[in-house]
């Protein structure tokens, strides 16, 4: 989709309600011909439905419409306007047949087509979420008009075609699929291409995995791990939910250029294929993939068997899957430290989102249309919502919690439901009145702040502005004695001040185990002691608790860049959990740049990474994380070049494709490799991932030509995939390159509104975020961004991302001002 002005109307909730009241959809029969060309495919859809009689519309976002037959009469294709086909339905049975030409897309939505640069093979997959189904087939595109689907697909002879239901090739190039159970439009999909497929089976459920041919070896290497965790999770979900997985096969497809982490399509889950590891990765990256696998499996019940009636309950879908994904990964897979991972990987994402000007309650957002709903699909829906469900589970206990969930699935099997329905199920199961819980935690925005007031001897609870209903927090607090021994005790915070007994100079941590949703801040005495204490403890919960507390303090300009660097210098060399090294991009990319002396801060972080390299197990994942940090923070070109030549490496480090590009990216930003050199590296091994890394490296070079190269991708005057766009934006803005990036502060602020004409959906959000002039830490940039935000008619997706990024810039400016750094 490009160069059209908001070509399609977003469905409004009032329209969805009216259409739901009018129609029952009986069935979809979808016939796709994917072998007609590279730009478009043929799509013939027959929808059978009953109506109470009256006017409505079908959704159709086609490149061209050949023929429309409605109840036996031919309708003019010209009737289709901005993605809608008006229909005057008759009472009783109706039949709509639409024969259309649909676009293959390149933005990760609809039917996305990708040509693998490694071997020229072409791959296709479907992404119908959240309103892209009508670019694949004509439909009534809203979550509560469910119907069974039967797919018939013609595809090139060497392709495999996989869908929501089991299917088979009935003659060369022709694929027939069983009828599905009732599905919502947003999770109807198709994966088609010369994919590499592996099969297995568990408990009567056929399992399969697929990837592009060029990364088939990565799938083969990890198939055992993926199948094993899938089986373990199936057993656990069957045990917890008491309802069998009902969608037949369970296929997991790793697909190129996918925008989200994954999509839970019943029977055919799609994952971004960087989750198939072509180079060595950390354990934390494997845990992230494991929790994603479990998350998508949880959705098969919560989301797919029982589906939100409207997008305003999308949070519940995500919060539930996120909670179950973390829990089941920790409980039944090899990754029993999944909650520690969550502390490093997700906690700050949610807390930061919940403290932006754009924050919103977890539940009950208006979502007047689908586009608006997508704006609230954020860290609040995932990280905050899941923490609150975890709190609810801790309050109710598993028996009541799952009895309510099972009641919910049973009553709404293959149907739709609301948050109210789920809470009614929990109340029936014995939860008591959940109204007050819901009011306090789900219908109000922002976290409480919990912190020690040492002079007063209390833990102080400060609600966010406007919060009137007090929230209680059932947590643990922990105190360190002079010898670095931590003593953990329970604390129930049920007042604005709760007395605690803390020795004068003892460090104190609030809720290191993340039992509640709150921003927890450390006092000065504790901050002063943290470097010494973190170096002395191997307790993963305390270490991650210290980091979360310090990061929250930094976000509020209460902790200086110097304090953060000092903590890193003490913490890094003693790190045994590679998830903790996830803080390195924040330390190197944000904290160092806001320090008194950025070069010196970077050098100190580099030295800390090198210290960890000296002690980390050779060939281990902590060593890998440390080496990545050492590369990203290196200032010495000679060392980087030596490593690039695989010389003088720490014992156990192997420079594979990922590390090679990481070194090249750092060399490029130091102006130590030419554009031609980068082009040559890409030509030598032109993988999809290498193209993204190349875009990042080129954009990061400190010269005018390279910045212009990145900018051409922003404006759309040069083509770039979704991942390449993110890489270009990230590469463009580098601290210390202001003389080359300065013109793009102006250009971003003046040209951003026009980006909506070139990019759409997820990609528009990504472009707004990643091309934002984040290194221009000046009041004038904040002011000008604020002016743009206030402008009438700004695209919703642009505004939301601009608000968040401007808040980030304002906070960075505040850190500079507070700590008087240059
Ligand atoms: Zn999800």
């Amino acid at each position: 989709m490009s160069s059209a002005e908001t070509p399609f109307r977003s469905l409004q909730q009032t329209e969805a309600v009216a259409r739901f009241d009018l129609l029952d959809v009986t069935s979809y029969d979808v016939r796709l011909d994917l072998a007609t060309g590279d730009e478009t495919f043929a799509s013939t859809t027959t929808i059978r439905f009953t109506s109470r009689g009256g006017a409505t519309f079908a959704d159709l976002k086609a490149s061209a419409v050949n023929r429309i037959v409605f109840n036996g009469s031919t309708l003019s294709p010209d009737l289709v306007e901005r993605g809608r086909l008006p229909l005057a339905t008759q009472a009783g049975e109706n039949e709509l047949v639409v024969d259309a030409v649909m676009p293959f897309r390149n933005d990760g939505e609809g039917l996305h087509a990708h040509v693998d640069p490694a071997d020229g093979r072409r791959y296709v997959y479907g992404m119908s979420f959240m309103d892209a189904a009508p670019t694949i087939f004509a439909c009534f595109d809203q979550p509560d008009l469910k119907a069974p689907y039967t797919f018939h697909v013609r595809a090139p002879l060497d392709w495999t075609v996989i869908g929501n239901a089991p299917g088979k090739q009935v003659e060369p190039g022709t694929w027939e699929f069983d009828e599905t159970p009732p599905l919502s439009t947003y999770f109807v999909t198709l994966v088609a291409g010369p994919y590499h497929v592996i099969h297995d089976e568990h408990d009567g459920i056929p399992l399969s995995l697929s990837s592009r041919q060029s990364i088939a070896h990565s799938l083969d290497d990890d198939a055992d791990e993926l199948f094993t965790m899938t089986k373990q999770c199936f057993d656990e979900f069957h045990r917890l939910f008491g309802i069998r997985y009902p969608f037949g096969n369970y296929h997991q497809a790793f697909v190129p250029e996918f925008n989200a982490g994954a999509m839970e399509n019943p029977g055919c889950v799609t994952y971004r294929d960087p989750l198939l590891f072509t180079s060595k990765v950390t354990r934390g990256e494997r845990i992230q993939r494991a929790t994603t696998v479990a998350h998508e499996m949880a959705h098969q019940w919560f989301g797919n068997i029982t589906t939100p009636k409207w997008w305003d309950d999308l949070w519940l879908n995500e919060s539930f899957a996120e909670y179950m994904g973390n829990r089941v990964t920790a409980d039944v897979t090899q990754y029993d430290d999944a909650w520690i991972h969550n502390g490093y990987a997700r906690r700050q994402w949610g807390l930061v989102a919940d403290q932006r000007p754009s924050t919103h309650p977890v539940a009950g957002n208006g979502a007047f249309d689908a586009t608006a709903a997508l704006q609230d699909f954020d860290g609040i829906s995932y990280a905050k919502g899941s923490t609150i469900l975890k709190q609810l589970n801790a309050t109710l206990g598993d028996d009541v919690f799952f009895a309510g969930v099972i009641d919910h699935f049973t009553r709404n099997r293959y149907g739709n439901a609301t948050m109210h329905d789920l809470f009614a199920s929990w109340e029936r199961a014995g939860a008591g009145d959940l109204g007050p819980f819901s009011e306090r935690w789900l219908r109000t925005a922002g976290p409480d702040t919990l912190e020690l007031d040492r002079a007063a001897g209390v833990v102080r609870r400060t609600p966010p502005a406007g919060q009137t209903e007090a929230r209680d927090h059932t947590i643990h607090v922990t105190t360190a004695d002079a010898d670095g021994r931590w003593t953990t005790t329970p604390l129930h915070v049920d007042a604005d001040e709760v007395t605690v007994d803390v020795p004068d100079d003892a460090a104190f941590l609030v809720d290191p185990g993340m039992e509640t949703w709150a921003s927890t801040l450390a006092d000065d005495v504790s901050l002063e002691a943290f470097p010494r204490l973190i170096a002395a403890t191997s307790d993963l919960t305390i270490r991650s608790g210290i980091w979360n507390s310090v990061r929250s303090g930094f976000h509020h300009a209460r902790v200086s860049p110097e304090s953060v660097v000092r903590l890193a210098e003490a913490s890094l060399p003693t790190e045994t959990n590679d998830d903790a090294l996830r803080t390195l991009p924040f330390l190197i990319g944000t904290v160092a740049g806001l320090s008194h002396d950025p070069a010196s801060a970077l050098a100190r972080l580099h030295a800390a990474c090198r210290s960890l390299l000296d002690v980390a197990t050779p060939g281990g994942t902590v060593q890998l994380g440390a080496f990545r940090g050492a590369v990203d923070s290196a200032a010495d070109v000679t060392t980087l070049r030596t490593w690039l030549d695989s010389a003088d490496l720490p014992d156990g480090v192997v420079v594979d494709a990922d590390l090679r590009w990481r070194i090249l990216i750092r060399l490029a930003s130091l102006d130590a490799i030419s554009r031609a050199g980068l082009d040559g590296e890409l030509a030598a091994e032109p993988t999809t991932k290498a193209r993204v890394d190349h875009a990042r490296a080129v954009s990061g070079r400190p010269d005018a030509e390279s910045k212009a190269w990145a900018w051409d991708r922003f404006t759309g005057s040069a083509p770039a995939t979704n991942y390449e766009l993110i890489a270009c934006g990230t590469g463009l803005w580098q601290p210390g390159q202001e003389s080359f990036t300065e013109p793009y502060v102006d250009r971003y602020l003046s040209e951003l509104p026009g980006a909506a004409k070139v990019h759409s959906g997820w990609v528009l959000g990504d472009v707004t975020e990643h091309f934002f002039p984040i290194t221009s830490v000046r009041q004038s940039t904040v002011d000008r961004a604020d002016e743009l935000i206030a402008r009438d008619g700004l695209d919703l997706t642009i505004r939301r991302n601009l608000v968040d990024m401007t808040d980030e810039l304002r906070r960075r400016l505040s850190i500079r001002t507070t700590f008087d750094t240059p």
Side-chain angles (χ1 to χ4, degrees), residues 337-615:
D337 49 345
W339 286 112
I340 294 290
H341 163 82
N342 186 60
Y344 284 113
R346 307 290 254 192
R347 182 78 168 176
Q348 287 297 318
W349 177 40
L351 280 173
V352 166
D354 204 18
Q355 295 171 90
R356 294 282 190 221
S358 60
T359 187
H360 52 85
V362 177
N365 293 293
F368 69 94
D369 70 13
T371 307
L374 195 59
Q375 310 314 313
D376 286 341
F377 201 54
D378 55 15
I380 293 172
S381 306
Y382 289 80
K384 180 178 181 180
S386 70
T387 303
I388 289 169
L389 289 182
K390 190 181 177 204
Q391 288 169 227
L392 182 65
N393 173 270
T395 308
L396 300 182
D398 265 359
D399 287 351
V400 171
F401 186 86
F402 287 109
V405 168
I406 291 167
D407 180 72
H408 183 67
F409 294 150
T410 306
R411 285 168 184 268
N412 304 295
R413 187 179 176 84
Y414 298 136
N416 297 78
T418 63
M419 169 191 177
H420 176 80
D421 296 325
L422 175 62
F423 278 65
S425 287
W426 270 324
E427 288 176 2
R428 267 193 295 279
D433 178 10
L434 290 175
F437 175 87
S438 164
E439 201 54 45
R440 280 175 197 135
W441 292 102
L442 297 171
R443 295 200 179 278
T444 48
D448 286 357
T449 299
L450 299 179
E451 60 190 317
L452 175 70
D453 182 336
R454 193 175 291 267
V458 297
V459 164
R460 192 177 302 288
R461 173 183 71 187
T462 311
Q467 171 82 4
T468 50
E469 288 257 0
R471 299 161 176 159
D472 290 2
H473 301 267
T474 304
I475 56 173
H476 285 77
V477 294
T478 185
T479 310
D481 67 18
D483 297 327
R485 273 192 299 269
W486 293 84
T487 305
T488 299
T489 49
L491 187 71
H492 189 63
V493 182
D494 55 359
D496 289 344
E497 293 180 355
V498 177
T499 304
V500 284
D501 183 21
V502 183
D504 274 354
D505 49 359
F508 186 79
L509 260 184
V510 181
D511 191 28
M514 302 177 300
E515 293 166 285
T516 194
W517 186 253
S519 175
T520 55
L521 302 177
D523 74 327
D524 289 344
V525 171
S526 303
L527 279 173
E528 189 61 32
F530 280 163
R532 176 175 56 82
L533 292 168
I534 205 164
T537 184
S538 56
D539 186 312
L540 298 179
T541 303
I542 286 179
R543 292 181 74 102
S544 88
I546 288 176
W547 269 111
N548 268 313
S549 158
V550 166
R551 291 194 65 168
S552 287
F554 185 75
H555 188 68
H556 289 283
R558 297 253 309 251
V559 175
S560 69
E562 173 59 24
S563 294
V564 181
V565 172
R566 278 206 299 122
L567 181 64
E569 285 180 299
S571 160
L572 286 170
T574 58
E575 202 48 74
T576 57
N577 181 301
D578 64 53
D579 259 318
L581 306 177
R582 283 174 179 273
T583 51
L584 279 168
F586 156 75
L587 295 167
I588 294 166
T590 305
V591 178
L594 295 173
S595 297
H596 267 295
D597 181 348
S600 151
L602 202 60
R604 289 163 64 194
L605 292 170
H606 182 75
C609 290
R610 298 292 286 263
S611 299
L612 178 53
L613 276 175
D614 289 342
V615 296

Side-chain angles (χ1 to χ4, degrees), residues 261-290:
M263 177 66 206
E264 66 266 23
N265 315 300
C268 187
V269 174
T270 42
Y271 296 88
R272 57 163 49 225
D273 70 13
L275 287 174
L276 279 184
F277 307 128
T278 50
S279 291
K280 184 174 173 134
V281 294
T282 60
R283 177 179 164 84
E285 285 161 310
R286 289 189 180 274
I287 298 176
Q288 179 148 20
R289 180 172 71 182

